[in-house]
Amino acid sequence: MKTKKQGFYMPIGVAVGTSIGVATDNLQIWLPLGITIAALIILTKKLKENRDPKFHKKTEVIF
């Protein structure tokens, strides 16, 4: 199921990067940026799923 979600964002990133690149006549910049943005979305979703709740407890700071 996870690979199905991961494969969903990459074509969207390519499509967005291509459409912005064609619109601005700068495809060589926007296509890799679209792929990078899609990879970052996949990475952040993966990090949220694997987060350890014990590690992220709020601690009080006393001054």
Side-chain angles (χ1 to χ4, degrees):
M1 191 65 127
K2 289 183 181 179
T3 57
K4 189 174 184 181
K5 288 182 181 179
Q6 290 176 357
F8 176 74
Y9 294 106
M10 200 55 71
I12 291 176
V14 170
V16 169
T18 303
S19 61
I20 294 174
V22 168
T24 60
D25 199 27
N26 205 357
L27 186 62
Q28 64 271 18
I29 297 292
W30 283 101
L31 185 60
L33 280 176
I35 293 170
T36 304
I37 290 169
L40 287 174
I41 290 171
I42 293 169
L43 180 66
T44 56
K45 288 197 175 279
K46 200 181 282 190
L47 288 175
K48 280 185 180 179
E49 289 175 0
N50 295 333
R51 186 169 47 180
D52 185 16
K54 293 179 184 176
F55 183 72
H56 294 285
K57 286 185 178 177
K58 292 184 178 180
T59 58
E60 293 183 19
V61 178
I62 301 173
F63 290 102

